[in-house]
Amino acid sequence: MPVLDTDGGEFTLDGAPFRILSGGLHYFRIHPDHWTDRLRKARLMGLNTVETYVPWNLHQPRPGEFRFDGGLDLPAFLDLAAAEGLHVLLRPGPYICAEWEGGGLPSWLLTDPGVRLRSNHPGYLHAVEGWFGALLPRVLDRLATRGGPVLAVQVENEYGAYGDDTSHLAHLAELLRQHGVDVPLFTCDQPGDLARGALPGTLATVNFGSRARQGLAALDALRPGQPKLCAEFWIGWFDRWGGRHVVRDAQDAARELDELLATGASVNLYMFHGGTNFGFTNGANDKHTYRPTVTSYDYDSPLDEAGDPTAKYHAFREVLAKYAPPMAEPAPAAGPKLPAATVQLTESAPLLADLPVLGTAVPALRPLTMEELGQDFGFVLYKAVLPAAGPALLEVGAVADRAQVFVDGQPVGVLERENHERAIAFHVPRAGAVLRLLVENQGRVNYGEGLHDRKGLHGPVLLNGAELTGWTSLPLPLDDLGELSFTGTAGPVPGPVFHRGTFHVDEPADTFLHLPGWTKGNAWVNGFPLGRHWSRGPQCSLYVPGPALRPGPNELTVLELHAAPSHRTARLLPHPDLGPTEE
């Protein structure tokens, strides 16, 4: 593969002028059986490059434990890109933002109460060095200097929006070089953050979604005569629970793209294909109010969540054909979908009754955070005994992020971080009544100082003004539901309860799970974690990738945290419902 040169006023590949026409495509948000399809569609739109982040938290779920298999086989993804004739911009972080849980930083970093993320804190740097030591040897053979597709590697991510410690960026760049990364390095920042986030001797790039000439002018003012790359041209946006589904007009985005390319600059579309925050992997924002991101990362992209071309795909294809040889092959068609079907969830397994197969409780004087329990995703169930009957006021230091409160198994209320709720009043029916709080991690903050986002109950916990001690903390990652005891039940079943049903598939294809009448929880198909459902929207369906299905019987499991509808049915439909686009 040719090698990228950034020394002159324009990019060159082996001495020939080259324009980077790239699109974001995150392998970890796409079922691996779909990687080839999505890469092919990138080329057919007119792109010559794809960009991907690397999520440290998935690849190293525990200290010393690394995963590069299945959907995390980054070398295989890079090889597929090369086979499609595409170059790659690789963004290994260690911090990636990406609206991803914790910005991609592993939760176990937060077990150190004094850790300072994205800094020269010794504990943080030691962990980063271990991560790069495991990651980089696996990608060296995929660098362009060794015949691979990776043209350039990013140093950190939008650091200028977080800090101005150039020595930290320099240390990360030196780590990349020490491990053999010899392709160009680059930083990326928004126009107002360029001076803080740029690194001397490293290509600076800029991020924006409009006003291309102004954004590029800011980059030129910082680095006159340098090749210009918009490393994130925002052509859509992400959604948060309780908001609206954000969209951007296709023709407006295409017009802005045309304006950008007319300057001679290179571009990376963010996103070309967004994909899905499967399972518990969505991030959150906290600018004085906590706002979790939804499961879908459709992003109103040229390829939708199911990988089908949108109006934006066709509009961008026309623009790109003005600046690169047009595609001789036709644009791809939408993929097949399952026919509509109804799934009856006839079996149930109450969560509070199946605790022994879901985790092991840890006793302590106070509630323990998820990080102290060695847990990254899911829930924690806290339990304590109430000493006396009568009126009770429970006060907690903080809830991260949503606590359902039960007394002797009966729900008495909910505390939500998003609403700044920290106290709840209820009646204790008897001395020795059991208090339980089921706390959900709704996504660690992925941007800003809120990254130090430890999950669970934060103490002290006060009962009528006195500290309540003698707790057990039960981690519930819900990564294995195989031992749940399901039984057939009729009529309404109060939550939190797992509900299960089966449905038949002749030929697997993509579909969308709709749960009308359900309130909040998670869903799995054949053990594959689809993500969160929540009636507050905007997202009202979950994408089900065809490769997660199989010919014949398939199993759907839905965790309902509140009361399931009396019909206890779900719908599989060939189209999504991502919610209204207006408030």
Side-chain angles (χ1 to χ4, degrees):
M1 298 285 279
V3 178
L4 185 71
D5 193 323
T6 65
D7 287 341
E10 62 181 8
F11 294 112
T12 61
L13 273 184
D14 285 355
F18 178 69
R19 188 199 297 259
I20 299 170
L21 300 174
S22 178
L25 188 74
H26 300 160
Y27 62 97
F28 49 93
R29 282 182 157 126
I30 306 167
H31 194 289
D33 290 358
H34 282 154
W35 287 349
T36 297
D37 173 80
R38 307 306 193 253
L39 290 164
R40 173 177 171 270
K41 288 170 178 173
R43 180 180 60 80
L44 289 180
M45 195 177 80
L47 300 178
N48 56 31
T49 305
V50 292
E51 162 266 312
T52 187
Y53 283 123
V54 181
W56 181 9
N57 57 352
L58 292 194
H59 284 286
Q60 192 181 5
R62 300 287 179 272
E65 177 186 333
F66 297 96
R67 289 195 54 204
F68 290 92
D69 59 337
L72 295 176
D73 192 344
L74 173 60
F77 175 80
L78 298 177
D79 290 344
L80 289 173
E84 195 61 49
L86 293 166
H87 306 289
V88 175
L89 300 176
L90 188 65
R91 307 172 79 183
Y95 163 79
I96 62 172
C97 184
E99 290 75 58
W100 187 253
E101 226 267 356
L105 299 176
S107 62
W108 50 261
L109 292 171
L110 298 173
T111 58
D112 177 357
V115 71
R116 298 189 306 278
L117 304 175
R118 304 181 73 186
S119 79
N120 286 335
H121 180 268
Y124 176 68
L125 288 183
H126 178 74
V128 171
E129 289 163 3
W131 161 232
F132 277 3
L135 168 69
L136 297 176
R138 289 175 164 85
V139 301
L140 289 183
D141 286 346
R142 279 79 181 179
L143 300 179
T145 47
R146 307 186 188 195
V150 178
L151 289 181
V153 173
Q154 183 172 295
V155 181
E156 235 268 355
N157 185 65
E158 288 195 328
Y159 190 71
Y162 185 83
D164 57 3
D165 187 355
T166 303
S167 71
H168 179 58
L169 294 180
H171 182 79
L172 296 178
E174 181 59 26
L175 277 179
L176 292 168
R177 294 304 191 202
Q178 286 175 2
H179 282 288
V181 175
D182 53 2
V183 296
L185 303 180
F186 67 99
T187 58
C188 78
D189 290 281
Q190 298 177 44
D193 301 325
L194 281 165
R196 292 186 298 275
L199 179 63
T202 299
L203 178 73
T205 71
V206 65
N207 299 344
F208 52 76
S210 60
R211 298 184 294 277
R213 293 186 183 278
Q214 294 94 315
L216 294 172
L219 181 60
D220 194 51
L222 179 77
R223 296 283 179 84
Q226 173 199 276
K228 295 176 181 60
L229 167 63
C230 177
E232 290 186 14
F233 177 58
W234 306 316
I235 51 83
W237 206 246
F238 60 93
D239 295 344
R240 66 168 180 88
W241 290 113
R244 64 182 178 90
H245 174 46
V246 183
V247 297
R248 182 177 184 183
D249 178 75
Q251 293 304 317
D252 170 70
R255 184 171 56 253
E256 293 275 6
L257 175 61
D258 199 356
E259 178 184 329
L260 190 162
L261 294 176
T263 69
S266 291
V267 68
N268 175 59
L269 306 175
Y270 195 95
M271 298 287 296
F272 163 68
H273 171 52
T276 309
N277 299 314
F278 290 118
F280 298 99
T281 56
N282 64 277
N285 285 281
D286 193 349
K287 298 176 182 178
H288 308 296
T289 298
Y290 175 79
R291 302 291 194 194
T293 303
V294 304
T295 293
S296 171
Y297 202 65
D298 176 90
Y299 219 87
D300 195 33
S301 300
L303 284 191
D304 68 15
E305 192 172 6
D308 291 334
T310 66
K312 201 169 285 181
Y313 184 99
H314 298 287
F316 283 11
R317 195 173 193 255
E318 290 183 12
V319 171
L320 292 169
K322 296 170 58 177
Y323 300 95
M327 286 292 107
E329 301 169 71
K337 305 292 183 295
L338 286 187
T342 298
V343 183
Q344 187 74 43
L345 284 82
T346 57
E347 298 179 298
S348 298
L351 184 148
L352 297 180
D354 257 327
L355 297 177
V357 303
L358 293 173
T360 302
V362 179
L365 285 177
R366 60 171 178 82
L368 303 177
T369 65
M370 272 194 174
E371 293 73 24
E372 290 172 312
L373 293 166
Q375 181 183 358
D376 41 19
F377 309 130
F379 299 76
V380 179
L381 183 68
Y382 298 100
K383 184 174 75 170
V385 174
L386 299 172
L393 177 65
L394 189 75
E395 300 173 272
V396 300
V399 174
D401 302 302
R402 187 177 189 268
Q404 292 174 255
V405 186
F406 303 87
V407 176
D408 278 351
Q410 297 301 307
V412 297
V414 176
L415 296 173
E416 291 191 309
R417 172 181 178 180
E418 192 166 356
N419 294 329
H420 308 281
E421 295 168 338
R422 298 184 177 183
I424 186 170
F426 51 84
H427 182 79
V428 181
R430 63 182 179 87
V434 178
L435 171 70
R436 290 186 176 92
L437 292 94
L438 181 63
V439 179
E440 178 185 2
N441 167 7
Q442 293 189 123
R444 288 184 180 84
V445 172
N446 56 256
Y447 189 83
E449 286 298 326
L451 284 176
H452 300 77
D453 188 12
R454 296 169 176 86
K455 295 302 188 183
L457 277 189
H458 296 263
V461 179
L462 304 181
L463 180 67
N464 293 331
E467 185 170 1
L468 182 62
T469 60
W471 291 83
T472 61
S473 304
L474 174 64
L476 298 170
L478 304 188
D479 51 5
D480 183 359
L481 307 181
E483 299 301 318
L484 288 174
S485 301
F486 284 95
T487 58
T489 54
V493 181
V497 174
F498 296 93
H499 300 271
R500 186 172 71 179
T502 59
F503 59 98
H504 185 87
V505 169
D506 290 327
E507 185 174 347
D510 289 354
T511 185
F512 295 89
L513 174 66
H514 295 245
L515 293 164
W518 299 73
T519 303
K520 192 181 195 303
N522 295 74
W524 296 259
V525 166
N526 298 327
F528 183 88
L530 300 178
R532 308 177 201 259
H533 68 89
W534 198 354
S535 57
R536 73 181 296 195
Q539 179 177 357
C540 294
S541 64
L542 288 169
Y543 171 57
V544 183
L549 303 174
R550 55 198 177 216
N554 290 259
E555 182 179 282
L556 170 65
T557 302
V558 176
L559 170 62
E560 173 53 60
L561 295 173
H562 297 279
S566 57
H567 55 75
R568 300 216 327 260
T569 58
R571 293 279 287 160
L572 296 175
L573 298 175
H575 55 79
D577 180 359
L578 297 180
T581 59
E582 300 293 338
E583 296 283 8

